[in-house]
Amino acid sequence: MSVPLAEIRGLSVSYGCDDAQSFALQGVDLDIAKGRRLAVIGESGSGKSTLALALAELLPPQARIEGTVGWSGLAHAPVAGRDIGMVFQDPGGSLNPVLTIGEQVAEGAVRHLGLGWRAARSHALALLERVRIPDPQAALRAFPHQFSGGQRQRIAIAAAIAAKPGLLIADEPTSALDMVVQAEIVVLLDTLVREAGMTLVFITHDIALASGLADDIAVFQRARLVEKGSAQAVLTKPAHAYTKHLLAAQIDFSTPRLIDGVGDA
Ligand code: ADP
Ligand code: MG
């Protein structure tokens, strides 16, 4: 039996428009097991990012939130950046173009681990090595625009884990990258999470990508959690029609098709 890190109960979120029916999340009950890798899967707009922001208490002020997120696996309520590391789709957005890589990766260690800048700089150097940035010593003094998209995402991951968070939330971290780089980032996340014993929440619309990484899977459709379970169970014996549809679409995708749309209902 796995120990829960977090228990989400009856979580509903709407973004405060007049239409009370427009929920971004509705009635979600989900446990996040400590030390396991949870893939959150669903199409665009299904509420995945809202879930990530709710976990990190980063929802905008206009969001109306019902339900609870309990952290029975932690001694105190988590602080984003310290206990929860976040990686987003666009690494350009999370890296500041006018600060050096060294400053940005070291910052979390200065702020949350209480390291001085000199110690934090060595910590940053070690992190850049761990995420396999070539010539990490030179990278410390370089700026984001000097790196490729995949390398920027590696740097963003290094910054996200600088304060040694117990939970890493990666929200579509590979969606802006080409397929080869996507696979490399997934392998990197897998390795880092194993080494550090971190819990991972990996958000994606790509069930194939999730299947390579996940211990557990939660499937969202239109604000609702429609299926959850071990990756093995969800992938081999999907219970919900939408999960079956995602898996079937995946098989379609890898099978050459002569005429688009054949077989569609
Ligand atoms: P996903 O990450 O699965 O694409 P999101 O959680 O981003 O889904 O969005 C869920 C729903 O909430 C969508 O209908 C989206 O338009 C809406 N939404 C998300 N963020 C905001 C926001 N800041 N203000 C208003 N509506 C939002
Ligand atoms: Mg999203």
Side-chain angles (χ1 to χ4, degrees):
M1 273 290 288
S2 46
V3 185
L5 172 69
E7 300 100 352
I8 300 163
R9 292 293 176 269
L11 183 65
S12 295
V13 177
S14 61
Y15 283 99
C17 343
D18 299 336
D19 182 1
Q21 295 307 306
S22 81
F23 284 102
L25 282 179
Q26 194 165 13
V28 173
D29 292 315
L30 178 66
D31 283 358
I32 298 174
K34 204 169 192 170
R36 283 171 71 89
R37 295 161 299 172
L38 169 70
V40 172
I41 303 174
E43 64 204 355
S44 181
S46 57
K48 306 181 300 297
S49 294
T50 300
L51 180 76
L53 296 174
L55 283 169
E57 290 196 15
L58 291 173
L59 283 168
Q62 79 271 22
R64 283 184 303 211
I65 308 163
E66 282 168 46
T68 56
V69 180
W71 295 92
S72 62
L74 293 178
H76 50 78
V79 174
R82 184 186 70 190
D83 309 291
I84 305 179
M86 311 276 291
V87 182
F88 298 101
Q89 175 171 336
D90 172 18
S94 47
L95 295 174
N96 186 327
V98 299
L99 294 179
T100 64
I101 300 306
E103 286 171 295
Q104 299 187 61
V105 177
E107 198 210 341
V110 171
R111 187 183 300 189
H112 298 298
L113 300 180
L115 298 186
W117 275 102
R118 188 185 290 267
R121 204 177 153 80
S122 332
H123 184 58
L125 183 64
L127 283 164
L128 292 174
E129 279 167 13
R130 269 176 75 194
V131 299
R132 295 189 194 81
I133 291 294
D135 198 352
Q137 191 77 53
L140 284 176
R141 292 184 303 274
F143 292 89
H145 72 268
Q146 294 171 259
F147 297 87
S148 69
Q151 286 173 339
R152 280 203 290 268
Q153 195 57 295
R154 288 170 184 272
I155 293 163
I157 292 169
I161 63 171
K164 304 182 180 171
L167 171 63
L168 182 64
I169 301 178
D171 187 355
E172 308 249 17
T174 68
S175 300
L177 305 171
D178 69 52
M179 276 175 78
V180 174
V181 181
Q182 282 193 5
E184 289 169 2
I185 296 287
V186 168
V187 169
L188 174 68
L189 284 171
D190 188 40
T191 309
L192 293 174
V193 162
R194 278 176 200 277
E195 282 172 1
M198 266 184 292
T199 305
L200 176 68
V201 174
F202 182 84
I203 297 175
T204 180
H205 60 270
D206 183 342
I207 198 162
L209 210 58
S211 64
L213 183 75
D215 299 308
D216 301 310
I217 290 181
V219 182
F220 285 77
Q221 183 190 28
R222 285 187 241 112
R224 291 185 182 273
L225 174 59
V226 294
E227 178 149 12
K228 62 186 170 185
S230 73
Q232 227 250 324
V234 172
L235 294 171
T236 59
K237 291 192 193 95
H240 195 276
Y242 180 64
T243 316
K244 289 177 190 166
H245 162 79
L246 285 178
L247 284 165
Q250 183 48 44
I251 292 159
D252 268 9
F253 185 68
S254 56
T255 311
R257 285 194 302 175
L258 289 175
I259 305 167
D260 236 17
V262 166
D264 287 358

mmCIF file of all heavy atoms in Angstrom, residues 105-136:
data_model
loop_
_atom_site.group_PDB
_atom_site.id
_atom_site.type_symbol
_atom_site.label_atom_id
_atom_site.label_comp_id
_atom_site.label_asym_id
_atom_site.label_seq_id
_atom_site.Cartn_x
_atom_site.Cartn_y
_atom_site.Cartn_z
ATOM 1 N N VAL A 105 19.152 29.364 -11.367
ATOM 2 C CA VAL A 105 19.133 28.019 -10.782
ATOM 3 C C VAL A 105 19.516 28.098 -9.297
ATOM 4 O O VAL A 105 19.001 27.353 -8.465
ATOM 5 C CB VAL A 105 20.058 27.061 -11.570
ATOM 6 C CG1 VAL A 105 20.089 25.682 -10.924
ATOM 7 C CG2 VAL A 105 19.582 26.935 -13.019
ATOM 8 N N ALA A 106 20.384 29.051 -8.959
ATOM 9 C CA ALA A 106 20.827 29.177 -7.557
ATOM 10 C C ALA A 106 19.750 29.797 -6.670
ATOM 11 O O ALA A 106 19.742 29.579 -5.453
ATOM 12 C CB ALA A 106 22.109 30.025 -7.504
ATOM 13 N N GLU A 107 18.827 30.538 -7.285
ATOM 14 C CA GLU A 107 17.911 31.347 -6.489
ATOM 15 C C GLU A 107 17.088 30.529 -5.485
ATOM 16 O O GLU A 107 16.936 30.920 -4.326
ATOM 17 C CB GLU A 107 16.970 32.126 -7.411
ATOM 18 C CG GLU A 107 16.307 33.282 -6.695
ATOM 19 C CD GLU A 107 14.940 33.612 -7.247
ATOM 20 O OE1 GLU A 107 14.643 33.207 -8.384
ATOM 21 O OE2 GLU A 107 14.176 34.268 -6.518
ATOM 22 N N GLY A 108 16.577 29.386 -5.956
ATOM 23 C CA GLY A 108 15.757 28.555 -5.081
ATOM 24 C C GLY A 108 16.527 28.081 -3.856
ATOM 25 O O GLY A 108 15.978 27.977 -2.755
ATOM 26 N N ALA A 109 17.819 27.799 -4.066
ATOM 27 C CA ALA A 109 18.653 27.320 -2.960
ATOM 28 C C ALA A 109 18.953 28.453 -1.980
ATOM 29 O O ALA A 109 19.039 28.236 -0.767
ATOM 30 C CB ALA A 109 19.949 26.731 -3.516
ATOM 31 N N VAL A 110 19.083 29.667 -2.494
ATOM 32 C CA VAL A 110 19.325 30.824 -1.611
ATOM 33 C C VAL A 110 18.075 31.104 -0.792
ATOM 34 O O VAL A 110 18.117 31.254 0.435
ATOM 35 C CB VAL A 110 19.703 32.075 -2.448
ATOM 36 C CG1 VAL A 110 19.739 33.321 -1.578
ATOM 37 C CG2 VAL A 110 21.034 31.857 -3.143
ATOM 38 N N ARG A 111 16.945 31.129 -1.499
ATOM 39 C CA ARG A 111 15.704 31.523 -0.847
ATOM 40 C C ARG A 111 15.197 30.464 0.126
ATOM 41 O O ARG A 111 14.744 30.771 1.218
ATOM 42 C CB ARG A 111 14.643 31.794 -1.914
ATOM 43 C CG ARG A 111 13.368 32.362 -1.320
ATOM 44 C CD ARG A 111 12.310 32.566 -2.353
ATOM 45 N NE ARG A 111 12.732 33.486 -3.394
ATOM 46 C CZ ARG A 111 11.905 33.968 -4.325
ATOM 47 N NH1 ARG A 111 10.656 33.596 -4.338
ATOM 48 N NH2 ARG A 111 12.336 34.784 -5.244
ATOM 49 N N HIS A 112 15.285 29.197 -0.276
ATOM 50 C CA HIS A 112 14.605 28.164 0.505
ATOM 51 C C HIS A 112 15.546 27.272 1.311
ATOM 52 O O HIS A 112 15.135 26.663 2.284
ATOM 53 C CB HIS A 112 13.741 27.294 -0.405
ATOM 54 C CG HIS A 112 12.657 28.059 -1.091
ATOM 55 N ND1 HIS A 112 11.649 28.700 -0.408
ATOM 56 C CD2 HIS A 112 12.430 28.294 -2.406
ATOM 57 C CE1 HIS A 112 10.836 29.293 -1.278
ATOM 58 N NE2 HIS A 112 11.303 29.062 -2.490
ATOM 59 N N LEU A 113 16.795 27.133 0.894
ATOM 60 C CA LEU A 113 17.712 26.281 1.662
ATOM 61 C C LEU A 113 18.643 27.125 2.523
ATOM 62 O O LEU A 113 19.463 26.600 3.269
ATOM 63 C CB LEU A 113 18.544 25.382 0.728
ATOM 64 C CG LEU A 113 17.786 24.412 -0.180
ATOM 65 C CD1 LEU A 113 18.757 23.600 -1.032
ATOM 66 C CD2 LEU A 113 16.887 23.477 0.631
ATOM 67 N N GLY A 114 18.550 28.447 2.383
ATOM 68 C CA GLY A 114 19.369 29.342 3.208
ATOM 69 C C GLY A 114 20.846 29.322 2.842
ATOM 70 O O GLY A 114 21.693 29.687 3.669
ATOM 71 N N LEU A 115 21.164 28.905 1.619
ATOM 72 C CA LEU A 115 22.572 28.907 1.210
ATOM 73 C C LEU A 115 23.013 30.323 0.849
ATOM 74 O O LEU A 115 22.209 31.120 0.363
ATOM 75 C CB LEU A 115 22.787 28.004 -0.014
ATOM 76 C CG LEU A 115 22.481 26.516 0.102
ATOM 77 C CD1 LEU A 115 22.903 25.788 -1.176
ATOM 78 C CD2 LEU A 115 23.196 25.898 1.298
ATOM 79 N N GLY A 116 24.295 30.633 1.081
ATOM 80 C CA GLY A 116 24.860 31.875 0.569
ATOM 81 C C GLY A 116 25.041 31.732 -0.935
ATOM 82 O O GLY A 116 24.985 30.623 -1.470
ATOM 83 N N TRP A 117 25.278 32.869 -1.624
ATOM 84 C CA TRP A 117 25.354 32.804 -3.087
ATOM 85 C C TRP A 117 26.484 31.918 -3.576
ATOM 86 O O TRP A 117 26.359 31.229 -4.578
ATOM 87 C CB TRP A 117 25.455 34.204 -3.694
ATOM 88 C CG TRP A 117 24.102 34.806 -3.876
ATOM 89 C CD1 TRP A 117 23.509 35.735 -3.084
ATOM 90 C CD2 TRP A 117 23.137 34.466 -4.889
ATOM 91 N NE1 TRP A 117 22.243 36.005 -3.538
ATOM 92 C CE2 TRP A 117 21.989 35.251 -4.645
ATOM 93 C CE3 TRP A 117 23.131 33.585 -5.972
ATOM 94 C CZ2 TRP A 117 20.847 35.171 -5.450
ATOM 95 C CZ3 TRP A 117 22.007 33.513 -6.771
ATOM 96 C CH2 TRP A 117 20.884 34.294 -6.508
ATOM 97 N N ARG A 118 27.619 31.908 -2.845
ATOM 98 C CA ARG A 118 28.756 31.091 -3.296
ATOM 99 C C ARG A 118 28.397 29.595 -3.244
ATOM 100 O O ARG A 118 28.594 28.866 -4.223
ATOM 101 C CB ARG A 118 29.980 31.372 -2.405
ATOM 102 C CG ARG A 118 31.246 30.713 -2.914
ATOM 103 C CD ARG A 118 32.372 30.946 -1.916
ATOM 104 N NE ARG A 118 32.807 32.341 -1.899
ATOM 105 C CZ ARG A 118 33.810 32.805 -2.643
ATOM 106 N NH1 ARG A 118 34.470 31.994 -3.442
ATOM 107 N NH2 ARG A 118 34.154 34.068 -2.567
ATOM 108 N N ALA A 119 27.816 29.168 -2.114
ATOM 109 C CA ALA A 119 27.410 27.764 -1.965
ATOM 110 C C ALA A 119 26.298 27.433 -2.959
ATOM 111 O O ALA A 119 26.275 26.344 -3.546
ATOM 112 C CB ALA A 119 26.952 27.496 -0.538
ATOM 113 N N ALA A 120 25.390 28.395 -3.138
ATOM 114 C CA ALA A 120 24.265 28.163 -4.051
ATOM 115 C C ALA A 120 24.773 28.003 -5.485
ATOM 116 O O ALA A 120 24.214 27.245 -6.277
ATOM 117 C CB ALA A 120 23.261 29.308 -3.964
ATOM 118 N N ARG A 121 25.840 28.719 -5.801
ATOM 119 C CA ARG A 121 26.425 28.627 -7.141
ATOM 120 C C ARG A 121 27.001 27.227 -7.395
ATOM 121 O O ARG A 121 26.797 26.647 -8.458
ATOM 122 C CB ARG A 121 27.525 29.691 -7.259
ATOM 123 C CG ARG A 121 27.818 30.125 -8.643
ATOM 124 C CD ARG A 121 28.875 31.234 -8.617
ATOM 125 N NE ARG A 121 29.630 31.225 -9.856
ATOM 126 C CZ ARG A 121 29.179 31.773 -10.987
ATOM 127 N NH1 ARG A 121 28.012 32.365 -11.009
ATOM 128 N NH2 ARG A 121 29.903 31.715 -12.083
ATOM 129 N N SER A 122 27.679 26.660 -6.384
ATOM 130 C CA SER A 122 28.176 25.278 -6.545
ATOM 131 C C SER A 122 27.014 24.303 -6.646
ATOM 132 O O SER A 122 27.072 23.328 -7.399
ATOM 133 C CB SER A 122 29.059 24.818 -5.374
ATOM 134 O OG SER A 122 29.695 25.860 -4.782
ATOM 135 N N HIS A 123 25.967 24.576 -5.866
ATOM 136 C CA HIS A 123 24.757 23.751 -5.918
ATOM 137 C C HIS A 123 24.163 23.816 -7.336
ATOM 138 O O HIS A 123 23.788 22.787 -7.913
ATOM 139 C CB HIS A 123 23.760 24.284 -4.882
ATOM 140 C CG HIS A 123 22.497 23.487 -4.744
ATOM 141 N ND1 HIS A 123 22.467 22.153 -4.426
ATOM 142 C CD2 HIS A 123 21.193 23.858 -4.888
ATOM 143 C CE1 HIS A 123 21.204 21.737 -4.385
ATOM 144 N NE2 HIS A 123 20.419 22.752 -4.657
ATOM 145 N N ALA A 124 24.113 25.034 -7.901
ATOM 146 C CA ALA A 124 23.573 25.219 -9.248
ATOM 147 C C ALA A 124 24.428 24.476 -10.273
ATOM 148 O O ALA A 124 23.902 23.857 -11.203
ATOM 149 C CB ALA A 124 23.491 26.706 -9.594
ATOM 150 N N LEU A 125 25.737 24.527 -10.095
ATOM 151 C CA LEU A 125 26.649 23.827 -11.009
ATOM 152 C C LEU A 125 26.356 22.324 -10.996
ATOM 153 O O LEU A 125 26.240 21.679 -12.045
ATOM 154 C CB LEU A 125 28.098 24.101 -10.585
ATOM 155 C CG LEU A 125 29.190 23.507 -11.466
ATOM 156 C CD1 LEU A 125 29.150 24.114 -12.855
ATOM 157 C CD2 LEU A 125 30.568 23.744 -10.820
ATOM 158 N N ALA A 126 26.191 21.780 -9.788
ATOM 159 C CA ALA A 126 25.889 20.345 -9.666
ATOM 160 C C ALA A 126 24.548 20.016 -10.312
ATOM 161 O O ALA A 126 24.393 18.977 -10.960
ATOM 162 C CB ALA A 126 25.887 19.946 -8.184
ATOM 163 N N LEU A 127 23.568 20.918 -10.150
ATOM 164 C CA LEU A 127 22.240 20.683 -10.757
ATOM 165 C C LEU A 127 22.316 20.706 -12.278
ATOM 166 O O LEU A 127 21.701 19.879 -12.948
ATOM 167 C CB LEU A 127 21.247 21.747 -10.275
ATOM 168 C CG LEU A 127 20.707 21.559 -8.866
ATOM 169 C CD1 LEU A 127 20.060 22.848 -8.370
ATOM 170 C CD2 LEU A 127 19.696 20.419 -8.828
ATOM 171 N N LEU A 128 23.103 21.642 -12.819
ATOM 172 C CA LEU A 128 23.234 21.704 -14.285
ATOM 173 C C LEU A 128 23.915 20.451 -14.818
ATOM 174 O O LEU A 128 23.601 19.967 -15.907
ATOM 175 C CB LEU A 128 23.992 22.969 -14.706
ATOM 176 C CG LEU A 128 23.250 24.287 -14.465
ATOM 177 C CD1 LEU A 128 24.139 25.480 -14.782
ATOM 178 C CD2 LEU A 128 21.970 24.356 -15.302
ATOM 179 N N GLU A 129 24.836 19.899 -14.023
ATOM 180 C CA GLU A 129 25.445 18.612 -14.412
ATOM 181 C C GLU A 129 24.402 17.511 -14.391
ATOM 182 O O GLU A 129 24.334 16.686 -15.299
ATOM 183 C CB GLU A 129 26.591 18.254 -13.454
ATOM 184 C CG GLU A 129 27.872 18.970 -13.798
ATOM 185 C CD GLU A 129 28.924 18.877 -12.686
ATOM 186 O OE1 GLU A 129 28.762 18.067 -11.743
ATOM 187 O OE2 GLU A 129 29.885 19.659 -12.777
ATOM 188 N N ARG A 130 23.569 17.523 -13.337
ATOM 189 C CA ARG A 130 22.556 16.467 -13.213
ATOM 190 C C ARG A 130 21.545 16.494 -14.346
ATOM 191 O O ARG A 130 21.045 15.451 -14.765
ATOM 192 C CB ARG A 130 21.820 16.591 -11.878
ATOM 193 C CG ARG A 130 22.485 15.778 -10.779
ATOM 194 C CD ARG A 130 21.803 15.978 -9.465
ATOM 195 N NE ARG A 130 20.541 15.275 -9.380
ATOM 196 C CZ ARG A 130 19.630 15.522 -8.433
ATOM 197 N NH1 ARG A 130 19.859 16.439 -7.532
ATOM 198 N NH2 ARG A 130 18.519 14.842 -8.402
ATOM 199 N N VAL A 131 21.204 17.687 -14.827
ATOM 200 C CA VAL A 131 20.254 17.756 -15.953
ATOM 201 C C VAL A 131 20.983 17.721 -17.297
ATOM 202 O O VAL A 131 20.387 17.929 -18.346
ATOM 203 C CB VAL A 131 19.316 18.987 -15.869
ATOM 204 C CG1 VAL A 131 18.472 18.943 -14.599
ATOM 205 C CG2 VAL A 131 20.082 20.295 -15.950
ATOM 206 N N ARG A 132 22.277 17.461 -17.233
ATOM 207 C CA ARG A 132 23.122 17.224 -18.411
ATOM 208 C C ARG A 132 23.162 18.398 -19.389
ATOM 209 O O ARG A 132 22.962 18.242 -20.596
ATOM 210 C CB ARG A 132 22.698 15.931 -19.120
ATOM 211 C CG ARG A 132 22.963 14.763 -18.202
ATOM 212 C CD ARG A 132 22.796 13.413 -18.820
ATOM 213 N NE ARG A 132 22.765 12.456 -17.718
ATOM 214 C CZ ARG A 132 21.681 12.203 -16.987
ATOM 215 N NH1 ARG A 132 20.535 12.793 -17.230
ATOM 216 N NH2 ARG A 132 21.758 11.348 -16.001
ATOM 217 N N ILE A 133 23.450 19.560 -18.838
ATOM 218 C CA ILE A 133 23.738 20.725 -19.683
ATOM 219 C C ILE A 133 25.219 20.663 -20.028
ATOM 220 O O ILE A 133 26.062 20.529 -19.135
ATOM 221 C CB ILE A 133 23.406 22.033 -18.921
ATOM 222 C CG1 ILE A 133 21.896 22.183 -18.722
ATOM 223 C CG2 ILE A 133 23.979 23.257 -19.640
ATOM 224 C CD1 ILE A 133 21.101 22.380 -19.999
ATOM 225 N N PRO A 134 25.539 20.722 -21.325
ATOM 226 C CA PRO A 134 26.957 20.662 -21.686
ATOM 227 C C PRO A 134 27.710 21.879 -21.146
ATOM 228 O O PRO A 134 27.168 22.977 -21.132
ATOM 229 C CB PRO A 134 26.944 20.651 -23.220
ATOM 230 C CG PRO A 134 25.571 21.053 -23.625
ATOM 231 C CD PRO A 134 24.647 20.815 -22.486
ATOM 232 N N ASP A 135 28.936 21.683 -20.702
ATOM 233 C CA ASP A 135 29.771 22.734 -20.134
ATOM 234 C C ASP A 135 29.017 23.566 -19.082
ATOM 235 O O ASP A 135 28.802 24.777 -19.248
ATOM 236 C CB ASP A 135 30.326 23.649 -21.242
ATOM 237 C CG ASP A 135 31.518 24.468 -20.741
ATOM 238 O OD1 ASP A 135 31.817 24.436 -19.513
ATOM 239 O OD2 ASP A 135 32.135 25.155 -21.573
ATOM 240 N N PRO A 136 28.617 22.937 -17.993
ATOM 241 C CA PRO A 136 27.795 23.633 -16.994
ATOM 242 C C PRO A 136 28.490 24.852 -16.371
ATOM 243 O O PRO A 136 27.823 25.823 -16.017
ATOM 244 C CB PRO A 136 27.528 22.560 -15.931
ATOM 245 C CG PRO A 136 28.457 21.453 -16.213
ATOM 246 C CD PRO A 136 28.838 21.519 -17.648
#
